[in-house]
Amino acid sequence: MSPTFPLDPRSAAAAQVRATLQERERALRAEVEAARQVGRTDPSAVAREVRDREEEAEAQVSTGINDAEIGRDVGELREIGEALQRLDAGRYGQCKDCDELIDPRRLAAEPFAVRCTRCQGVREQAQRRI
Ligand SMILES: [Zn+2]
């Protein structure tokens, strides 16, 4: 049975999303922390450490972590925090900007998404103009 959105914060589906988000949050924090160590420690040691913690980080680490990547991770961390807040408030799955329900397929691919595809597109376009 597919869950109904917005998710009931006490539902099993919400608990699962919460766990997914928290796991991703931990991995990202580790990645950002490791990236901030670069320059102070041997980068290859950092790369190994990050790879152990989070396989997804491998591609980034192998090309070297730069400020833009840290910025992106920090941005994602902010989104995850927001998604967790919305989950607890019983608004997970609802667009932050227009209150429409977010496509469940989008949430499955990006559990931290807090906007529907349309609002996200508008926002990204606005950011590109800056
Ligand atoms: Zn929207």
Side-chain angles (χ1 to χ4, degrees):
M1 210 183 80
S2 53
T4 40
F5 293 99
L7 283 183
D8 177 346
R10 290 153 303 179
S11 66
Q16 205 180 344
V17 169
R18 193 177 287 117
T20 303
L21 289 172
Q22 284 170 343
E23 193 184 315
R24 181 80 185 130
E25 191 177 37
R26 270 195 300 275
L28 278 172
R29 276 193 212 283
E31 198 177 299
V32 170
E33 187 50 43
R36 287 183 174 147
Q37 304 285 329
V38 173
R40 278 181 279 158
T41 49
D42 172 18
S44 65
V46 174
R48 267 196 307 278
E49 199 181 340
V50 172
R51 191 152 42 228
D52 288 344
R53 290 188 216 174
E54 171 65 10
E55 288 202 359
E56 265 178 63
E58 190 175 348
Q60 289 181 19
V61 171
S62 64
T63 57
I65 298 173
N66 58 38
D67 288 347
E69 283 164 344
I70 294 178
R72 205 180 51 209
D73 286 349
V74 168
E76 193 181 330
L77 272 172
R78 202 182 309 123
E79 288 190 321
I80 290 174
E82 242 177 83
L84 282 168
Q85 271 178 13
R86 296 181 68 76
L87 186 64
D88 288 336
R91 304 193 66 172
Y92 182 81
Q94 228 178 347
C95 176
K96 185 186 167 181
D97 290 353
C98 71
D99 282 346
E100 292 290 319
L101 290 181
I102 300 171
D103 187 340
R105 282 168 303 184
R106 170 167 164 75
L107 284 173
E110 295 181 11
F112 50 84
V114 293
R115 288 181 184 81
C116 69
T117 314
R118 194 169 51 88
C119 291
Q120 186 66 38
V122 169
R123 190 180 150 84
E124 277 168 15
Q125 275 205 334
Q127 280 176 341
R128 264 197 292 275
R129 276 198 293 270
I130 295 169

